[in-house]
Amino acid sequence: MSIQSTCDDILVLAENGICTITFNRVAKKNSITGAMYLTMASVLQQAATSGDVRVVLFQGDATVFTAGNDLGDFLNGPKPDENAPPFQFLQALAACPKPIVAAVCGPAVGIGTTMLLHCDLVYAGDNAMFSLPFVNLGFCPEGASSLLLPQLMGHQRASEALLLGDPFMAEAALEVGLVNRVVPPTECNTIAQAQAAKLAAKPMGSLLASKKLLKSGQMAAVQARIAEEGKLFADLLQQPAAKEAMSAFLEKRKPDFSKC
């Protein structure tokens, strides 16, 4: 089964049992458009049913994983809802039965961090920087991060990450268990590929059964939380605070929330 990308900003290579999905918009810091989300959702759905794919791997550039949502695309696109492209991608990611590996270097902003909560192995360059600036942009958490992050970090650390939105570096991510290993950025993709190859060489039935057991205890809760967050996110996106935050970002000024 051939798996193909319909978007030049997302590169897809399926070989040796590994489907590699690469963010390919480095000039825009790999910020993600609606078309990119839909492409990744489609690739994940294809990979889930393909007998030729045993592992999915996400990677970016040695300097940047992704800056998160393309805010210009958000501002100029149609009114979003809980079925908008980002949430289609997140649902497909959470539901994928195959092991998912990620190689993260440089900034991993917003969904660039929350998507990692649905990956099974994550390798980070020592230049990786994770941030969840949803509140700062007038949004709310997404990707079931309001459920999964407190389980991973504890309530206080998750609150610090989600409410303050302050970035944290690779070593802090390693400490709380968000990543498996911190490596030099120039080696990160290669190491992740090697780990993916190890997985691809294992018995497929055992891999699928083991991942299902690891995830099944809260799969329904995760899917429900993604939908709940998506509805709130879409509602908040239409509010003055979000419009002010995104306009300020694009105009390179400090947002003024005094009337929001």
Side-chain angles (χ1 to χ4, degrees):
M1 178 180 178
S2 175
I3 299 178
Q4 296 182 342
S5 171
T6 57
C7 175
D8 291 341
D9 294 327
I10 296 293
L11 302 180
V12 177
L13 177 65
E15 63 178 11
N16 301 322
I18 303 169
C19 178
T20 302
I21 301 171
T22 304
F23 293 114
N24 186 43
R25 201 179 182 223
V26 178
K28 296 291 185 179
K29 299 182 180 180
N30 286 339
S31 57
I32 310 173
T33 64
M36 293 167 69
Y37 281 123
L38 291 176
T39 294
M40 291 190 292
S42 174
V43 170
L44 284 167
Q45 290 160 358
Q46 294 175 66
T49 59
S50 172
D52 296 328
V53 174
R54 303 167 79 87
V55 183
V56 175
L57 187 149
F58 285 93
Q59 63 183 24
D61 184 73
T63 62
V64 60
F65 185 59
T66 172
N69 288 313
D70 185 303
L71 294 183
D73 190 63
F74 253 40
L75 277 174
N76 299 319
K79 180 180 178 180
D81 57 28
E82 59 268 32
N83 294 313
F87 303 115
Q88 290 189 41
F89 164 65
L90 287 167
Q91 291 284 8
L93 185 69
C96 183
K98 309 285 178 70
I100 302 173
V101 181
V104 183
C105 296
V109 180
I111 200 167
T113 293
T114 60
M115 66 177 285
L116 304 177
L117 297 169
H118 305 284
C119 296
D120 302 293
L121 298 174
V122 180
Y123 299 93
D126 58 25
N127 65 339
M129 181 180 69
F130 307 87
S131 62
L132 300 158
F134 301 116
V135 170
N136 300 341
L137 292 170
F139 304 152
C140 68
E142 40 84 322
S145 56
S146 63
L147 173 68
L148 297 173
L149 212 60
Q151 293 177 2
L152 182 70
M153 293 182 163
H155 176 79
Q156 283 75 18
R157 284 185 175 181
S159 295
E160 186 173 52
L162 289 171
L163 300 183
L164 289 176
D166 292 339
F168 54 98
M169 304 305 290
E171 289 296 337
L174 179 66
E175 180 189 351
V176 298
L178 181 63
V179 306
N180 293 83
R181 191 188 310 172
V182 177
V183 300
T186 54
E187 299 175 17
C188 190
N189 287 1
T190 300
I191 289 170
Q193 286 281 350
Q195 297 298 89
K198 288 181 184 178
L199 290 173
K202 297 184 184 296
M204 192 65 207
S206 296
L207 277 180
L208 293 178
S210 297
K211 173 162 179 172
K212 183 177 181 179
L213 289 167
L214 283 164
K215 296 283 190 177
S216 63
Q218 60 180 6
M219 181 58 71
V222 166
Q223 296 282 4
R225 185 62 62 90
I226 290 174
E228 180 184 2
E229 290 171 343
K231 186 177 186 305
L232 287 170
F233 195 103
D235 290 343
L236 287 168
L237 192 57
Q238 303 305 310
Q239 300 302 312
K243 294 182 184 297
E244 166 62 14
M246 289 189 287
S247 296
F249 178 83
L250 294 173
E251 294 166 11
K252 302 186 186 320
R253 61 176 175 82
K254 186 176 180 179
D256 178 8
F257 296 124
S258 61
K259 298 179 181 179
C260 300

